[in-house]
Amino acid sequence: MRIDAISIFPDFFQVLDISLLGKAKAQDLIEINIHDLRDFTDDKHRTVDDTPFGGGAGMLMKAEPWGQALDKVITSETIVIFPSPAGDLFKQATAQELALAKHLVFACGRYEGIDQRVVDYARSKAQVRTISLGDYVLNGGEVAAVAMIEAIARLIPGVIGNADSLAEESHSEGLLEYPSYTKPANWRGLEVPEVLLSGNHAEIAKWRKNQALGRTRQVRPELLD
Ligand code: 6GU
């Protein structure tokens, strides 16, 4: 998969060089290109923002630099993602769907957002998704894009060493994950549940399913509907 991200703060994406994603990059399982939006300005001050028509607080991102940047990266296989608290909720199913794409472009806005014509223009050139991480406000799309990239990239075959852990984890079956324990069996007087020490794999599977159901019912009952 190829991923491009456009931002006025390219440094936010340095964390993608760490750990499993860093390894996946080094092994060419994913190609990630980060672009500084200011490189697509024409004026001496490298201006990317301006005041909104109609008035109101704050600054908006100007269309021109975004147009130049998108023209450079969009191909016939591109899905453009605009991270925004006003977007569709990002879920595990979203990650699974986007993990099948050949090319993703993350267009990361700051300030009060991007001139709407940039989104409309992108729609005329590529598939476009506006996606939110949840019901809270971040200062810009970068941190959200990094979270989405991690959730998507780890589903690409070869990125996670142990493919079984993908199948077993939280949300993969629509349930939260059951609790897990490792040695020692008694730690500070706290015992590991007996069944996990029993060696009875059918009983262990049943216990884990029950724990996952109980936890989901308690913490996220809406996932069971
Ligand atoms: Cl995707 N962007 C911003 N700026 N804030 C958010 C978000 C995205 N998701 C939740 N809050």
Side-chain angles (χ1 to χ4, degrees), residues 82-85 109 131-141 144-145 148:
F82 289 91
S84 161
I131 303 181
S132 167
L133 283 197
D135 293 336
Y136 45 84
V137 178
L138 303 170
N139 286 337
M148 290 187 238

Side-chain angles (χ1 to χ4, degrees), residues 75-117:
T75 75
S76 60
E77 302 183 308
T78 302
I79 301 175
V80 183
I81 296 160
F82 289 91
S84 161
D88 298 318
L89 204 52
F90 186 77
K91 298 185 175 178
Q92 189 63 21
T94 322
Q96 278 158 353
E97 181 199 334
L98 294 174
L100 303 174
K102 287 239 170 57
H103 182 213
L104 300 177
V105 171
F106 288 86
C108 300
R110 286 258 142 189
Y111 312 113
E112 302 305 309
I114 306 175
D115 188 308
Q116 180 59 35
R117 290 170 295 181

